[in-house]
Amino acid sequence: MECRLNIDFPRGPQAWSGAMAKCLRFFTWLLWTTVMIAGACRAHAAYAAPRPIRDVYVVLMVLDGCPAALFNQLLRDGQLPNLTTHLVKPGVTFTDAIATYPSTTSTGYQAMVSGLFPGHAGIPYLEWFERATEQVHRFLSLRGFKRLNTSFRNWYDATAGTLFEDLQGHETAAVYTQFFRSASTRTPTNPLPAAWAVVVQGRLEQMNALAQRDLLTLFQRPVAEIPRFTLAGLLATDFLGHKLGTDHPRVQQVLRDFDTFFGELVTLLRHRELLDKTYLIVTSDHGMHDIIGTFELKTVLRRQGLRVTPPAKPHYADLYFGARGVSVATLTARGPNGWQEPITLEALQAYPRRAADPIDLLELLTTAPELDLVLVREPVIQQAGEREQRVRLYRRQQMGILRSVRRGAETLYGYDARSGDPLEFTHDPQLRALTDGRLLTASNWIARLAHTSTPGAVPMLAQLFDDGHAGDLVVAATPDFDFLHEKRATHGTHYAMDMHVPLVIRGPGIRPNRRRLAQLVDLYPTMLRWFSLPVPLNRIDGRPLFE
């Protein structure tokens, strides 16, 4: 059996050891992906009595990790003719659609079907550390897909679910996606073809080919069994982008292959007389950018005499460092009384070490040239009818204050740069007046920031600590680095290259148009409107797009 991983194995015991470690990591990663998306249970969910819905279908196709700039360039160059003819011309294109922060897969997928920012959904990142149980919830692991779906919790209303729950009693489907909740159909049912193609043959493109095949199969069912809502993850763009770079020819070819599939899907829907009552959405969970290397922050912390936890032994450690192969990581610090109580700012600035004097952990992080942002949670301020979470934002030793304020049924966000301006808003005449801490809605902020290199920065950065799952600190590397594993490209930052995503929608009643602003969280209330289901505006972050 030949393992085509395109790795040159050098000679010598040490070199072989390193190369084999890379091979093993790559093999494990690909195997995890296949097992993760296969799921553990194929039985239909236990249904409640279905709510009446409008006679429509929705297919949400996620080109995982597809940069908006690449997608738009291929459209302009005429390389995506089916998408141009059957999606762009009859649909609405959003020119400034943005993802969530951190700009990662777990946070993005849940946002589309829940309408929630990561800090309001119990899913702040690709993993998180639970203080009460001292458990690490790692979503990118063999058991992670279960934890991702069970970690979800609406911060505004713990009884609320996602679109999958809203449509219980109706057929729904989750295709090659780790976020599936109560979907009545999940594919792949057999992970072996994907494992063979991806792991053994190294054909990452097959992840899309297999998902696209399953999508077509769903719409070949008897009409009564066709899912009313389908969430499909098309993962090859992300896999290939990480491995080869954002605009590699193989990445571009995957998008051209998707274009061919899209033409086949439209033909099938038209043949089944379903096209006129089907909404088709093409988007991405995040963008991506090329990098030059990995910043080994865990090694830096250990060299300072700090015990950084392996996931299985948190009570032997000083710090939990949640890092994956992206440009963002979370840190949870053990306090004087253990993990149970959140640590104070003063304790971070005089953090104890074994056999050494205390260290100013905050100074260590904020002066590291490889780090672009350091976010530090402050204690919650509770007042009559109001809850405020403040976040200290550091960048190149400048410090500003972010505010997330829940006031009645509304969440507002502010940025106070009077003592420092890490976001550099004072350099922009249009933003200078907004640096005094005044509170605006997320939609208002995003409209003000859409023209900048950091779209959505204030609400996206401010919301992250609201539900307590993000730990004590969040650190973001400069655009040149990620935190784990060698890659050609990655994502996770608050910059436009990671936050801008393609978003094009066609369907019944949608008139051809070009619009500017949209967020991934807006898809959930938009889809509820299409199904004629009530939109709970007081317990989500998104807003319907066509109102």
Side-chain angles (χ1 to χ4, degrees):
M1 182 182 296
E2 182 181 4
C3 182
R4 299 177 182 174
L5 300 182
N6 299 321
I7 296 176
D8 295 325
F9 292 102
R11 299 182 180 182
Q14 293 182 346
W16 265 100
S17 177
M20 288 300 291
K22 290 181 182 179
C23 182
L24 181 59
R25 281 202 306 266
F26 189 59
F27 184 93
T28 303
W29 170 63
L30 293 175
L31 180 60
W32 157 78
T33 303
T34 305
V35 174
M36 174 196 72
I37 56 183
C41 174
R42 305 299 166 193
H44 280 17
Y47 285 151
R51 291 192 283 180
I53 62 172
R54 184 174 162 222
D55 183 22
V56 296
Y57 302 85
V58 178
V59 186
L60 173 51
M61 291 164 279
V62 184
L63 296 167
D64 201 294
C66 177
L70 175 61
F71 183 84
N72 293 333
Q73 185 62 53
L74 292 178
L75 280 175
R76 287 192 295 269
D77 292 345
Q79 297 189 50
L80 305 177
N82 288 300
L83 288 167
T84 299
T85 301
H86 302 301
L87 182 67
V88 175
K89 288 184 177 179
V92 174
T93 298
F94 292 87
T95 59
D96 290 311
I98 67 169
T100 58
Y101 182 83
S103 45
T104 62
T105 293
S106 300
T107 57
Y109 277 74
Q110 72 77 23
M112 298 180 218
V113 295
S114 74
L116 296 171
F117 293 149
H120 300 158
I123 301 173
Y125 179 60
L126 300 171
E127 58 184 58
W128 67 282
F129 178 76
E130 187 174 6
R131 286 184 181 276
T133 62
E134 299 184 8
Q135 286 187 332
V136 178
H137 297 258
R138 307 186 73 185
F139 303 142
L140 302 186
S141 66
L142 292 179
R143 298 181 180 179
F145 58 91
K146 290 183 180 179
R147 289 183 173 176
L148 173 62
N149 289 271
T150 57
S151 284
F152 174 83
R153 182 183 177 90
N154 186 308
W155 179 63
Y156 300 112
D157 180 358
T159 65
T162 68
L163 189 59
F164 289 120
E165 283 81 25
D166 295 326
L167 291 173
Q168 278 198 346
H170 302 280
E171 289 290 326
T172 56
V175 178
Y176 280 71
T177 168
Q178 60 176 320
F179 196 78
F180 46 76
R181 294 289 288 180
S182 301
S184 55
T185 297
R186 304 209 307 269
T187 72
T189 55
N190 178 9
L192 292 180
W196 180 264
V198 175
V199 178
V200 179
Q201 298 178 319
R203 293 188 293 136
L204 299 176
E205 292 85 348
Q206 278 297 100
M207 297 301 292
N208 272 22
L210 293 168
Q212 290 163 181
R213 180 203 63 187
D214 287 356
L215 267 172
L216 292 175
T217 300
L218 289 174
F219 283 87
Q220 291 166 349
R221 289 176 170 184
V223 171
E225 299 177 12
I226 293 175
R228 291 292 178 170
F229 170 62
T230 302
L231 173 64
L234 300 158
L235 308 176
T237 37
D238 185 81
F239 286 4
L240 288 167
H242 279 302
K243 184 180 181 183
L244 302 173
T246 54
D247 62 351
H248 191 275
R250 286 176 67 184
V251 178
Q252 297 183 32
Q253 185 58 48
V254 161
L255 294 176
R256 287 191 287 267
D257 291 342
F258 172 73
D259 178 78
T260 300
F261 154 76
F262 193 85
E264 295 173 358
L265 176 62
V266 168
T267 299
L268 176 60
L269 291 172
R270 184 177 287 119
H271 175 72
R272 301 295 305 273
E273 299 183 348
L274 296 174
L275 184 60
D276 290 339
K277 54 182 176 181
T278 299
Y279 293 93
L280 298 173
I281 308 171
V282 173
T283 188
S284 182
D285 52 342
H286 55 76
M288 190 171 285
H289 67 277
D290 293 332
I291 59 175
I292 63 174
T294 298
F295 176 41
E296 299 287 350
L297 180 55
K298 182 181 286 189
T299 300
V300 172
L301 295 169
R302 285 175 171 166
R303 286 175 179 169
Q304 292 294 327
L306 297 167
R307 297 169 295 183
V308 184
T309 178
K313 300 180 180 179
H315 57 258
Y316 292 115
D318 302 311
L319 294 168
Y320 161 71
F321 179 52
R324 306 299 306 180
V326 297
S327 294
V328 176
T330 63
L331 281 164
T332 304
R334 183 175 181 171
N337 300 318
W339 292 106
Q340 304 304 311
E341 299 177 9
I343 197 167
T344 64
L345 182 66
E346 292 75 20
L348 285 174
Q349 293 173 315
Y351 201 76
R353 294 183 288 180
R354 290 178 295 171
D357 294 334
I359 186 174
D360 188 335
L361 184 57
L362 196 54
E363 182 181 12
L364 174 69
L365 295 172
T366 56
T367 57
E370 298 88 351
L371 293 182
D372 186 56
L373 294 182
V374 178
L375 302 171
V376 185
R377 174 199 50 78
E378 289 194 349
V380 172
I381 301 172
Q382 295 276 9
Q383 297 177 351
E386 184 174 292
R387 177 194 186 276
E388 179 172 354
Q389 174 69 70
R390 293 194 174 194
V391 179
R392 292 195 176 206
L393 169 63
Y394 293 88
R395 184 170 184 258
R396 300 192 181 102
Q397 297 183 289
Q398 287 205 65
M399 190 272 287
I401 298 293
L402 297 162
R403 303 172 64 197
S404 173
V405 179
R406 182 66 172 173
R407 184 179 292 167
E410 191 172 42
T411 304
L412 303 168
Y413 304 92
Y415 174 53
D416 189 339
R418 285 171 288 190
S419 59
D421 182 21
L423 293 178
E424 299 182 346
F425 284 3
T426 52
H427 298 171
D428 187 332
Q430 298 181 49
L431 300 177
R432 190 177 299 125
L434 303 177
T435 59
D436 59 358
R438 72 183 63 185
L439 297 173
L440 303 173
T441 65
S443 297
N444 201 328
W445 271 113
I446 286 162
R448 305 288 186 95
L449 296 174
H451 71 285
T452 72
S453 63
T454 57
V458 171
M460 290 297 176
L461 297 173
Q463 55 80 32
L464 198 51
F465 293 95
D466 279 347
D467 67 8
H469 285 197
D472 299 308
L473 305 100
V474 170
V475 294
T478 65
D480 287 337
F481 298 100
D482 67 2
F483 284 114
L484 189 69
H485 302 325
E486 296 178 6
K487 295 182 177 181
R488 295 290 299 274
T490 194
H491 49 87
T493 76
H494 68 301
Y495 292 111
M497 56 195 176
D498 290 344
M499 292 293 291
H500 273 162
V501 294
L503 177 59
V504 192
I505 303 173
R506 70 160 288 173
I510 292 181
R511 296 180 179 179
N513 196 4
R514 285 177 69 85
R515 297 179 59 177
R516 188 182 180 200
L517 300 175
Q519 304 177 74
L520 289 185
V521 292
D522 296 334
L523 292 176
Y524 172 69
T526 301
M527 293 186 289
L528 287 177
R529 283 278 194 263
W530 291 340
F531 285 114
S532 296
L533 293 172
V535 178
L537 293 176
N538 64 334
R539 57 176 175 84
I540 60 174
D541 298 304
R543 294 296 180 265
L545 288 172
F546 299 101
E547 291 188 358

